[in-house]
């Protein structure tokens, strides 16, 4: 049978395979709240501008409210033959209120309708992601505060480099996540314009009030160009791009958690709640949640790639290719929400193994830079010379199998005669971290101040 929406021009219905490739209802049913809200705003505007009667407007509004209740309650029967959420809702409206349902689509197209619904959905998604990230920051801040004095090796090239505090290391992620929140906020501000009323692509000859529907839906203003309004999906791309960067941050942190749990580190214990055992090796406690956060970043980045590739060759305006825009966004959102919550949970539960971290700082000559700095400050050596002297001292210590702090004074003086006993005062890791108190440095007092500042900023 020909289609109820456009059957006028068609003698026959679609092939079964056409129906399957064409239908998006299994994906875009997630837009139902937004679709119904946008339709109610549109109907109210059509009444206010005299385009439809108040009577029809009322019937439409009550019908849509009923449908919202039906879908909320899981009682709605979605049909693939009706393609997408927009036509499923409209067809049900016709069942409920009769021919007046046909007036809802005046001065509107599915092209501006879907762009509107999707913007509203992404806006909600951003608000949820932001709330989750605030939670994660709070967890990191609490842990950073508790570990402000905990020394650990800081790494470059995954080689022990200089002592840092664990709190300072965790605060690095608070900063990254702060910028992630900023990126999502920027995306939200840019997407918050209404496509509704752009109609199919050219606008409409009906005397609609696009500002009214924009306001009703919480948009800042109507989009200025009808062609742009139905053509672009840059808001979805921005969401995926911000999400991909966030996913990379979460993945790097997850990778560090995995490392920190591993043999040779044992810097942290993850709780039973966020680890799993092995079905064969009774001793195992595996950091699966962290590994999954690391792995799931691939899905989010993949989603960004998917949509970039869908969009890149499309002539303006709408092309059905664009129906492929929602699945990567929905999946990225679900994945991020899960990853954020799992990361916050791991942080809340983790126990820092302060002894192991402290012990690791005793290997690798981590205070070599402090020694070189002493030669500069006390003896007035140029830093390059100090670097060379220190390198020689490290080689001597290595030969003797001792740390720099345990290299005897006469061995030091054999390399640089002006070295005095005072040099040992800078060779402890505690002294090393507490000396790095210039703004942004790892000193415990800085960590405490940064926690306080971050709590105020992100509260
Ligand atoms: N389901 C479609 C989508 O998600 C809705 C827009 C359809 N517009 C059209 N001209 N066929 O893109």
């Amino acid at each position: 049978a020909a289609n109820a929406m456009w059957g006028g021009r068609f003698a026959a219905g679609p092939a079964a395979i056409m129906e399957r490739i064409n239908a998006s209802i299994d994906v875009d049913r997630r837009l139902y709240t937004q679709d119904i809200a946008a339709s109610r705003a549109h109907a109210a505007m059509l009444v206010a501008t005299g385009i439809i009667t108040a009577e029809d407007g009322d019937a439409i509004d009550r019908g849509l409210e009923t449908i919202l209740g039906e879908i909320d309650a899981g009682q709605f029967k979605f049909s693939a033959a009706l393609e997408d959420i927009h036509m499923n809702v409209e067809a049900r409206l016709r069942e409920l209120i009769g021919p007046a349902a046909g007036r809802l689509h005046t001065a509107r197209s599915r092209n501006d309708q879907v762009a509107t619904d999707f913007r509203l959905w992404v806006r909600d998604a951003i608000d949820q992601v932001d709330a989750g990230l605030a939670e994660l920051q709070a967890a990191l801040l609490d842990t950073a505060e508790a570990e402000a004095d905990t020394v650990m090796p800081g790494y470059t090239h995954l080689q022990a480099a200089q002592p840092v505090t664990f709190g300072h290391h965790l605060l690095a992620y608070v900063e990254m996540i702060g910028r992630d929140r900023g990126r999502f906020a920027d995306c939200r501000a840019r997407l918050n314009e209404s496509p509704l009323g752009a109609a199919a692509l050219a606008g409409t000859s009906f005397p609609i009030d696009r500002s009214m529907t924009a306001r009703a839906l919480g948009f800042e203003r109507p989009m200025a160009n009808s062609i742009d309004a139905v053509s672009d999906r840059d808001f979805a791309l921005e969401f995926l791009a911000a999400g991909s960067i966030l996913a990379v941050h979460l993945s790097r942190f997850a990778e560090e958690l995995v490392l920190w749990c591993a043999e040779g580190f044992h810097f942290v214990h993850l709780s039973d709640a966020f680890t799993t055992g092995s079905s064969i090796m009774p001793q195992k406690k595996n950091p699966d949640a962290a590994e999954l956060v690391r792995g799931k970043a691939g899905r989010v980045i993949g989603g960004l790639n998917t949509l970039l590739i869908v969009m890149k060759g499309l002539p303006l305006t709408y092309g059905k290719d664009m129906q492929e825009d929602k699945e990567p966004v929905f999946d990225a959102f679900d994945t991020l929400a899960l990853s954020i919550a799992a990361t916050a949970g791991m942080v809340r539960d983790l126990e820092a193994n302060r002894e192991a971290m402290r012990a690791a700082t005793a290997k690798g000559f981590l205070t070599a830079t402090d020694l070189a700095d002493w030669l500069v400050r006390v003896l007035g050596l140029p830093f390059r010379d100090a670097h060379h002297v220190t390198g020689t001292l490290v080689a001597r210590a290595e030969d003797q199998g001792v740390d720099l702090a345990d290299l005897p004074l006469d061995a030091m003086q054999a390399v640089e005669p002006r070295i005095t006993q005072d040099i040992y005062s800078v060779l402890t890791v505690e002294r090393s971290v507490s000396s790095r108190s210039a703004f942004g440095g790892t000193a415990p007092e800085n960590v405490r101040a940064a926690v306080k500042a971050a709590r105020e900023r992100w509260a």
Side-chain angles (χ1 to χ4, degrees):
N3 185 289
M5 299 289 171
W6 55 72
R9 193 195 195 290
F10 285 68
I17 199 72
M18 173 59 191
E19 193 171 296
R20 273 183 58 201
I21 196 173
N22 203 34
S24 57
I25 187 62
D26 286 341
V27 174
D28 64 25
R29 57 204 282 173
R30 281 183 78 165
L31 296 174
Y32 77 91
T33 315
Q34 291 77 14
D35 191 68
I36 290 171
S39 287
R40 293 176 83 174
H42 184 69
M45 182 276 292
L46 292 176
V47 171
T49 50
I51 298 169
I52 65 172
T53 65
E55 201 185 354
D56 284 344
D58 270 2
I60 289 169
D61 195 69
R62 270 183 281 110
L64 288 170
E65 191 175 10
T66 302
I67 294 169
L68 180 63
E70 289 175 350
I71 302 179
D72 276 341
Q75 289 160 354
F76 191 94
K77 256 186 59 69
F78 291 101
S79 150
L82 291 166
E83 252 188 80
D84 60 21
I85 184 62
H86 323 292
M87 299 211 287
N88 269 268
V89 169
E90 195 182 321
R92 178 66 181 142
L93 188 63
R94 190 178 307 271
E95 282 176 14
L96 288 172
I97 70 167
R103 301 199 185 279
L104 171 60
H105 214 52
T106 315
R108 185 178 82 169
S109 151
R110 272 190 297 157
N111 294 348
D112 59 335
Q113 190 180 357
V114 74
T116 303
D117 295 359
F118 200 20
R119 278 176 188 258
L120 290 172
W121 192 93
V122 172
R123 196 177 70 187
D124 288 349
I126 287 173
D127 293 342
Q128 289 178 56
V129 167
D130 188 67
L133 291 179
E135 255 308 298
L136 174 55
Q137 282 183 315
L140 287 165
L141 286 169
D142 289 347
T143 311
E145 187 172 45
E147 307 298 336
D149 297 288
T150 305
V151 290
M152 69 182 289
Y155 297 87
T156 62
H157 315 269
L158 198 54
Q159 303 288 314
Q162 292 177 343
V164 296
T165 49
F166 186 41
H168 192 57
H169 192 104
L170 294 175
L171 289 180
Y173 286 103
V174 173
E175 294 296 313
M176 293 178 230
I177 289 162
R179 289 192 297 276
D180 289 321
R181 292 178 69 186
R183 271 181 283 274
F184 281 111
D186 291 346
C187 168
R188 190 190 197 287
R190 259 189 299 279
L191 75 69
N192 206 23
E193 293 186 347
S194 174
L196 197 56
L201 74 158
T204 179
S205 58
F206 288 98
I208 59 172
D209 183 348
R210 292 189 57 206
S211 297
M212 181 181 166
T213 46
R215 225 176 304 119
L217 295 169
F219 289 117
E220 291 294 329
R221 61 190 77 82
M223 290 182 76
N225 182 297
S226 64
I227 289 178
D228 174 45
V230 298
S231 297
D232 207 1
R233 293 294 183 265
D234 60 352
F235 65 93
L237 289 170
E238 274 194 57
F239 176 80
L240 289 167
S244 294
I245 298 172
L246 164 63
V248 168
H249 288 154
L250 296 177
S251 179
R252 292 184 77 178
F253 184 51
E255 164 64 6
E256 295 204 304
L257 289 172
V258 170
L259 268 180
W260 292 340
C261 292
E263 204 56 65
F265 284 87
H266 286 310
F267 287 179
V268 304
H269 292 291
L270 293 177
S271 68
D272 289 357
F274 287 97
T275 50
T276 63
S278 158
S279 56
I280 175 166
M281 298 165 283
Q283 85 283 12
K284 293 276 271 184
K285 205 166 147 183
N286 297 322
D288 293 40
E291 294 168 85
L292 285 163
V293 169
R294 188 177 59 188
K296 282 175 186 290
R299 300 173 70 120
V300 181
I301 297 164
L304 172 61
N305 277 282
T306 298
L307 189 54
L308 284 169
I309 295 165
V310 166
M311 297 305 295
K312 72 168 279 293
L314 288 187
L316 307 189
T317 58
Y318 178 86
K320 196 66 174 251
D321 318 47
M322 287 159 71
Q323 182 163 276
E324 294 296 316
D325 59 0
K326 287 161 219 80
E327 206 167 351
V329 170
F330 293 165
D331 186 69
F333 169 74
D334 293 340
T335 303
L336 288 170
L338 208 52
S339 298
I340 294 165
T343 306
M346 284 189 283
V347 172
R348 286 260 175 239
D349 278 15
L350 78 74
E351 255 177 71
N353 185 347
R354 295 174 185 165
E355 299 68 44
M357 290 189 194
R358 178 82 182 63
T361 63
K363 282 169 273 171
F365 311 107
L366 295 187
T367 55
T369 314
D370 302 87
L371 194 156
D373 287 348
W374 185 92
L375 296 171
V376 169
R377 207 173 50 246
V378 180
L379 301 187
L381 262 54
F383 184 78
R384 286 295 161 212
D385 297 348
H387 185 288
H388 189 82
V389 169
T390 308
T392 311
L393 290 172
V394 167
R396 298 277 160 95
E398 201 163 34
D399 283 346
Q400 300 192 16
V402 296
D403 191 40
L404 280 174
D406 300 317
L407 192 65
L409 187 58
D410 55 353
M412 295 230 198
Q413 287 169 338
V415 177
E416 168 52 65
R418 290 176 293 160
I419 290 177
T420 66
Q421 184 68 34
D422 179 63
I423 201 165
Y424 293 99
S425 69
V426 300
L427 297 182
T428 69
V429 289
E430 281 74 16
R431 173 65 188 258
S432 173
V433 294
S434 66
S435 72
R436 286 183 165 70
S437 58
F439 182 75
T442 194
E445 54 172 300
N446 285 19
V447 172
R448 281 182 274 272
V451 167
K452 205 163 154 271
R455 284 208 180 107
E456 271 158 32
R457 165 139 195 231
W458 298 112

